[in-house]
Amino acid sequence: MAQLTDLMNRFTQSKPVTSVASTRVTSLLQELSRCDVEIALRRLDSSSEGLLDREAEERLLSYGPNTIVQEKHVGPLRQLFSYFKNPLNVLLIALAAISFYLGDHEAATIIALMVALSITLTFVQEYRSSHAAERLRAMVSTTATVLRKDRRSGVPDEVNRYFNIHLTPHGPQRREIPIDTLVPGDVIQLSAGDMIPADVRLLTAKDLFVNQSSLTGEALPVEKFSLSESSQDKDALQLGNVCFMGTNVVSGTATAVVVLTGSQTYFGALAQMVSGARSQTSFDRGIHQFTWLMIRFILVMTPLVFILNGFTKGDWMEAFLFSMAVAVGLTPEMLPMIVTVNLGKGALAMSRKKVIVKRLNSIQNFGAMDVLCTDKTGTLTQDKIILEKHVDIYGQENEDVLEYAYLNSFYQSGLKNLLDVAVLEYASTNERLRVEANYRKVDEIPFDFQRRRMSVVVEGKGRHVLICKGAVEEVFSCCTHAEVNGSVVQLDSSHLEQLVQVTRELNQDGFRVIAIAYKETQPNTSNYSIKDEGELILVGYIAFLDPPKDSAREAIAALHRHGVAVKILTGDNEVVTRKVCHEVGLKVDRILLGSDLELLSDEQLAEQAEQVVVFAKLSPAQKARVIKALHLRGHVVGFMGDGINDGPALKAADVGVSVDTAVDIAKESADIILLEKSLMVLEEGVIEGRKVFGNIVKYIKMGASSNFGNMFSVLGASAWLPFLPMQAIQVLTNNLLYDFSQTAIPTDNVDEEYISKPRRWDIANITRFMVMLGPISSIFDYATFALMYYVFKANTPAGESLFQTGWFVESLLSQTLIIHIIRTGRIPFIQSRASLPMFLTTGVICTFGLWLPYSPFAHALGFTPLPMAFWPYLVVILLAYLTLAHLMKSWFIRRYGLN
């Protein structure tokens, strides 16, 4: 085992795999792929007969079980507690605790309920999402067929039965063992339908085709063989004699030696990339920045109010209670609830369109997204091989070609590959092709790797016909004639150029091309062999493609109309990708390959990512790197994918989208899952996200500007008046009613021009809006102060209650009505109207505020009935305020734009 230990130490050095594109593990696979079978076995301290049981036990202790890394489970209590660490929630809880300590239990209860409701809604929505690495493990087969050279001695029979040992104790034994007990050096057997249980080097292979589309993005299965690789710089996934954990055998059989297990496998590396902490999205960053903006504002203003009132009024306890009430009033305590309810409403709207929203904040990110990167296979395409063309040697459609292809696929014995299935499915829709009843099978010449073709012989219509299909070059080599317009002509150099041109054009269009040839044979022959595949008549070609989804072209066009650029990030080759892009209406000037991308620095890649539309032959890590490069240029990036290889990119994106046919790892890494096959729901998701963001920003702009203006009013009044401008209980009541009026914001309408292009967090813009619009409210607060102080003579301690009542009513009504100005860039009430719930809540709160000074609660709240002469003044003040606010808002939008 010493040689194996040295080998592993040299390449892995016991370090976890964190990069799939360039790891020492990849180097190990590449080195072993270039070795002969016997040398590879010796390097792994193994043999073609497998390991001894004691060797396997030792290696299991040394290398650990064959399981991939699991994401650390976060229990429900810990996850619930994590939501309390939000700075805004911490501030609100602290204010609630202070209010409770000072005896203001009502305020403490209200604030605590707001925090609890917001946290509960978020927790319920997000706890249902499970963990990506756990799903990765579930994809792997639970047992593997392994060769071991001796049975266990000196152990109970139950253990032997557990390892399913039925053969003699001499020589290699074929056993079914749990997959987690596989170790490097184990020799395993593979057959059709098996999941590859580890990263392995093939020892023998017969007609072996492996589906690795979930790793590479290639729609067609790839053929694997045991011959040594000659290339020195081949990408690991392109190695013809290496198979990877998580892929599966489509057809054929093989034996292989295990090279890497567990977290050291290519698959395990992906699990590590997916299981780490998620990066902060643009939505998270925006909320975080606004929260700290308001906290800093509160930390400056609250002490100022406290000190100013303490010195001017002389009652420091009253000043402290008032400053605490002001702090609560300044805190946008409804923000967590408004955000959560808005996102929840968006998630509910999307669920009606058969879309699962796993992470609530992804709704807003969907709307802010200005670049959507997408995998090709299974997302834009149907992830299903279909027969697209059946043409003669000149590229013209020909029914005889289809009939010969159908007979070959129908009568082929054994497991039919995807191309045969595509031919049979195509024929099932064409009654004229149901010709098998007119034929019977005589013999078959099976496919093998050297010939790369197969033939069937059928009898019908009084003749024996050998029908051959296979790789174009191999079938060409057997043909001496060709069928042209129903006539058989001898092939010569004049035909060769035409044959090559037709197949080249098909290949350049992204088609997988299979040649079809035939010849009539002697009716008395019943046994056929490879030597009979000669002097064939080339009849034409069948061409296959993984076609785009019907809705792909329309969906991409719709995204472009809404300001979202679409880029393709695929592991498939550039030829097929260019064809699909043409089909879905994406203009491709040039394609950046993974091999070229690897040579670029992050800054160079960021520059290229701005210009390039298509990236091909990418590894999973390279997909994630392209997304990070776009982040460097300030883009909000979405990614849509469905394969194992899309997990890291889905996680790196601001919003990850998966489709209905995706593997579990993609669904678990995604934020949004589309259950319908139509991609048009992408446009609807973008619009819904922009509506959600628009309504959140309405609350933020209104709250920030209103609070900023109120502080000018409070500071001025505190310095000027001999009494408090408003009692603490009145401030809290005003704040509670105002907050209630905002609960209908999530239901509000959003103007068409707002949702026409991506919107993102712009704290600088919000700050400018707060600074410019906030003082306007102070102007009319001071007008109210002057009205109460000079007109209604509320300038003595006896008039204190009247002054406070007048400002309470004006402040509540102006704050409640201003949402109708701020909610739209248009003329309010005329060009743009709020939703019915918004009108109702505004009306209810305004009415309640007008009633309070005359209500049974007036005395407890310190209110005095207002004189009738006050109301005309109030109407003028409110109309003037709303008009000036609209004019300032309109100027602001012209100057700084709508956001």
Side-chain angles (χ1 to χ4, degrees):
M1 185 172 158
Q3 188 171 354
L4 173 61
T5 302
D6 292 341
L7 183 69
M8 291 295 183
N9 287 340
R10 180 157 61 90
F11 282 100
T12 65
Q13 298 185 0
S14 302
K15 293 181 180 179
V17 181
T18 56
S19 171
V20 179
S22 55
T23 68
R24 293 185 175 90
V25 170
T26 299
S27 299
L28 172 59
L29 292 171
Q30 289 171 331
E31 179 169 319
L32 290 178
S33 73
R34 294 192 293 269
C35 298
D36 290 337
V37 166
E38 291 302 323
I39 296 175
L41 286 168
R42 283 201 302 272
R43 298 289 297 278
L44 294 167
D45 283 333
S46 186
S47 72
S48 59
E49 295 184 341
L51 299 173
L52 296 170
D53 284 328
R54 59 178 174 78
E55 291 176 328
E57 290 169 351
E58 292 171 1
R59 295 184 187 197
L60 190 59
L61 290 174
S62 297
Y63 300 107
N66 182 32
T67 55
I68 62 174
V69 64
Q70 285 185 269
E71 188 169 320
K72 187 175 180 181
H73 283 281
V74 178
L77 290 178
R78 182 176 293 183
Q79 185 173 349
L80 187 63
F81 177 73
S82 69
Y83 297 123
F84 285 91
K85 294 188 288 187
N86 177 289
L88 192 57
N89 287 334
V90 170
L91 175 63
L92 289 170
I93 292 169
L95 291 174
I98 293 171
S99 298
F100 186 84
Y101 178 75
L102 295 175
D104 196 348
H105 297 169
E106 294 83 0
T109 302
I110 291 169
I111 298 170
L113 282 174
M114 290 176 179
V115 174
L117 180 58
S118 174
I119 288 174
T120 301
L121 286 172
T122 306
F123 172 76
V124 170
Q125 283 284 342
E126 296 195 355
Y127 184 68
R128 292 179 297 177
S129 65
S130 56
H131 304 288
E134 185 177 354
R135 288 293 188 176
L136 271 171
R137 291 179 69 246
M139 290 187 63
V140 182
S141 171
T142 56
T143 63
T145 304
V146 67
L147 297 181
R148 292 280 170 83
K149 286 191 289 191
D150 65 340
R151 69 187 301 161
R152 293 164 173 253
S153 58
V155 296
D157 288 340
E158 305 88 68
V159 177
N160 282 323
R161 283 196 295 273
Y162 175 75
F163 280 89
N164 198 17
I165 302 173
H166 298 300
L167 304 182
T168 66
H170 306 292
Q173 301 167 350
R174 182 177 178 274
R175 308 178 190 171
E176 291 289 328
I177 68 170
I179 192 175
D180 57 3
T181 62
L182 279 178
V183 294
D186 260 329
V187 175
I188 62 172
Q189 295 182 338
L190 301 170
S191 58
D194 286 347
M195 187 77 79
I196 308 295
D199 287 356
V200 301
R201 203 288 194 191
L202 294 174
L203 304 177
T204 65
K206 179 175 175 57
D207 303 339
L208 183 67
F209 284 84
V210 175
N211 182 355
Q212 52 186 41
S213 63
S214 59
L215 287 179
T216 65
E218 295 173 301
L220 292 170
V222 294
E223 188 170 10
K224 298 286 185 176
F225 46 88
S226 59
L227 300 177
S228 301
E229 286 281 356
S230 57
S231 175
Q232 295 288 321
D233 56 355
K234 230 179 195 181
D235 180 74
L237 288 172
Q238 295 176 331
L239 297 174
N241 55 13
V242 172
C243 297
F244 296 90
M245 175 189 274
T247 60
N248 64 284
V249 179
V250 176
S251 62
T253 59
T255 58
V257 60
V258 174
V259 179
L260 297 167
T261 58
S263 298
Q264 292 294 337
T265 63
Y266 193 99
F267 196 82
L270 287 177
Q272 289 183 338
M273 295 175 73
V274 170
S275 63
R278 297 180 67 88
S279 56
Q280 232 185 18
T281 67
S282 66
F283 179 83
D284 300 324
R285 292 190 294 270
I287 287 290
H288 185 78
Q289 289 169 357
F290 174 73
T291 298
W292 280 106
L293 172 69
M294 296 308 297
I295 288 174
R296 286 192 292 269
F297 186 49
I298 291 166
L299 291 176
V300 170
M301 297 303 296
T302 304
L304 277 177
V305 171
F306 170 61
I307 293 169
L308 192 58
N309 278 285
F311 277 115
T312 57
K313 311 300 183 296
D315 188 336
W316 288 95
M317 177 54 71
E318 186 180 54
F320 181 75
L321 290 173
F322 181 67
S323 66
M324 286 298 98
V326 167
V328 173
L330 282 174
T331 304
E333 65 267 31
M334 287 295 288
L335 180 60
M337 184 186 296
I338 291 290
V339 168
T340 303
V341 172
N342 261 295
L343 295 173
K345 177 178 174 289
L348 184 62
M350 295 303 292
S351 71
R352 298 190 188 104
K353 300 176 174 69
K354 301 287 184 70
V355 175
I356 296 174
V357 178
K358 290 178 54 194
R359 295 178 182 88
L360 282 179
N361 62 16
S362 62
I363 288 284
Q364 187 277 325
N365 291 327
F366 215 173
M369 173 180 73
D370 61 342
V371 177
L372 174 64
C373 297
T374 176
D375 182 35
K376 175 185 67 66
T377 307
T379 49
L380 291 183
T381 67
Q382 298 177 20
D383 196 18
K384 178 183 179 183
I385 301 302
I386 68 168
L387 177 62
E388 281 276 329
K389 294 189 175 186
H390 43 92
V391 297
D392 61 21
I393 64 171
Y394 292 116
Q396 303 301 315
E397 187 170 311
N398 188 292
E399 291 295 321
D400 289 340
V401 175
L402 182 58
E403 183 174 322
Y404 284 124
Y406 172 70
L407 287 171
N408 182 288
S409 295
F410 183 84
Y411 284 113
Q412 176 188 340
S413 60
L415 185 67
K416 299 190 187 314
N417 63 34
L418 295 179
L419 303 184
D420 291 315
V421 172
V423 172
L424 296 175
E425 286 186 355
Y426 185 93
S428 67
T429 62
N430 191 333
E431 288 295 329
R432 197 188 71 77
L433 279 179
R434 299 298 185 81
V435 295
E436 67 272 10
N438 300 324
Y439 292 87
R440 72 171 184 86
K441 181 177 178 180
V442 176
D443 199 6
E444 178 175 350
I445 308 172
F447 179 92
D448 64 55
F449 172 71
Q450 286 74 25
R451 290 165 42 247
R452 296 172 63 203
R453 60 180 184 267
M454 66 84 56
S455 301
V456 297
V457 183
V458 295
E459 179 185 16
K461 301 181 180 177
R463 60 179 186 154
H464 276 204
V465 183
L466 183 149
I467 305 170
C468 178
K469 76 167 185 284
V472 173
E473 299 85 353
E474 303 301 329
V475 174
F476 276 3
S477 67
C478 300
C479 293
T480 57
H481 294 75
E483 188 174 289
V484 180
N485 298 325
S487 302
V488 176
V489 299
Q490 186 163 350
L491 287 175
D492 55 33
S493 57
S494 65
H495 296 104
L496 184 60
E497 185 178 343
Q498 181 67 34
L499 296 177
V500 172
Q501 181 181 344
V502 171
T503 55
R504 185 192 298 121
E505 289 175 354
L506 288 170
N507 284 321
Q508 288 174 347
D509 280 341
F511 289 103
R512 170 77 176 270
V513 182
I514 300 294
I516 304 292
Y518 76 98
K519 75 172 182 179
E520 293 190 22
T521 63
Q522 295 297 324
N524 55 358
T525 305
S526 58
N527 294 316
Y528 291 82
S529 63
I530 294 173
K531 61 180 175 48
D532 293 303
E533 290 180 330
E535 299 184 346
L536 301 181
I537 302 169
L538 181 65
V539 67
Y541 317 102
I542 49 176
F544 301 86
L545 193 68
D546 179 13
K549 290 181 176 177
D550 295 337
S551 57
R553 174 182 280 270
E554 188 179 354
I556 289 173
L559 289 172
H560 280 154
R561 288 196 299 272
H562 286 88
V564 180
V566 178
K567 297 180 183 291
I568 308 297
L569 277 58
T570 181
D572 208 349
N573 68 69
E574 63 272 28
V575 175
V576 174
T577 304
R578 190 182 293 273
K579 168 67 174 176
V580 171
C581 289
H582 175 74
E583 293 287 329
V584 299
L586 274 177
K587 184 180 178 182
V588 181
D589 293 326
R590 70 187 186 93
I591 295 177
L592 184 63
L593 300 181
S595 55
D596 299 324
L597 182 150
E598 201 65 29
L599 304 175
L600 301 177
S601 67
D602 290 343
E603 194 55 46
Q604 289 172 325
L605 178 57
E607 185 177 347
Q608 292 289 322
E610 288 276 6
Q611 304 166 6
V612 176
V613 173
V614 177
F615 300 79
K617 301 297 289 183
L618 297 184
S619 70
Q622 288 172 336
K623 289 184 179 183
R625 191 178 167 216
V626 171
I627 289 171
K628 291 172 183 175
L630 289 166
H631 282 154
L632 289 176
R633 290 303 180 101
H635 293 288
V636 178
V637 186
F639 183 82
M640 183 168 66
D642 72 332
I644 298 170
N645 58 336
D646 295 322
L650 285 164
K651 187 176 177 182
D654 293 290
V655 54
V657 184
S658 192
V659 293
D660 59 318
T661 55
V663 297
D664 285 345
I665 175 59
K667 289 181 181 178
E668 291 307 315
S669 300
D671 304 300
I672 293 174
I673 301 173
L674 313 181
L675 297 182
E676 291 287 343
K677 292 187 180 296
S678 173
L679 296 179
M680 287 307 297
V681 74
L682 290 173
E683 178 194 20
E684 296 169 355
V686 165
I687 292 172
E688 196 63 44
R690 292 175 187 176
K691 288 180 179 178
V692 166
F693 181 67
N695 284 333
I696 291 173
V697 169
K698 288 175 189 176
Y699 173 79
I700 287 174
K701 281 185 173 181
M702 184 188 61
S705 59
S706 179
N707 288 345
F708 187 70
N710 283 343
M711 283 309 94
F712 280 107
S713 304
V714 168
L715 287 174
S718 297
W720 171 43
L721 294 173
F723 47 80
L724 291 175
M726 206 181 290
Q727 295 180 32
I729 187 65
Q730 293 169 345
V731 172
L732 292 172
T733 302
N734 184 304
N735 191 56
L736 175 63
L737 294 174
Y738 162 71
D739 283 345
F740 181 80
S741 73
Q742 309 312 307
T743 56
I745 286 179
T747 70
D748 194 24
N749 306 316
V750 181
D751 296 337
E752 286 295 324
E753 59 268 24
Y754 191 89
I755 62 177
S756 64
K757 65 178 184 177
R759 307 286 173 182
R760 65 181 67 184
W761 288 98
D762 188 347
I763 295 301
N765 186 278
I766 292 173
T767 303
R768 283 193 295 267
F769 189 87
M770 176 180 76
V771 170
M772 291 184 178
L773 226 66
I776 291 178
S777 67
S778 294
I779 294 172
F780 295 95
D781 283 339
Y782 283 119
T784 304
F785 294 164
L787 176 70
M788 302 308 298
Y789 197 86
Y790 295 110
V791 176
F792 293 104
K793 307 301 181 183
N795 50 15
T796 64
E800 176 181 346
S801 176
L802 180 64
F803 185 99
Q804 292 168 343
T805 304
W807 188 37
F808 173 89
V809 172
E810 185 271 338
S811 175
L812 177 63
L813 265 61
S814 62
Q815 284 188 109
T816 304
L817 291 172
I818 195 63
I819 183 60
H820 293 276
I821 304 298
I822 292 176
R823 61 166 293 277
T824 177
R826 303 175 182 178
I827 299 174
F829 308 111
I830 299 173
Q831 295 179 337
S832 178
R833 294 185 178 87
S835 65
L836 180 60
M838 276 286 293
F839 273 116
L840 291 176
T841 53
T842 300
V844 167
I845 294 303
C846 287
T847 302
F848 191 79
L850 295 173
W851 172 73
L852 265 182
Y854 309 96
S855 72
F857 310 107
H859 179 71
L861 295 172
F863 291 139
T864 297
L866 290 163
M868 293 303 295
F870 171 79
W871 301 112
Y873 286 107
L874 179 63
V875 171
V876 172
I877 288 173
L878 291 176
L879 287 175
Y881 170 49
L882 296 177
T883 301
L884 184 57
H886 171 68
L887 293 174
M888 176 59 76
K889 173 204 68 178
S890 299
W891 174 86
F892 182 90
I893 291 173
R894 289 194 301 271
R895 177 70 175 79
Y896 296 105
L898 184 65
N899 199 4

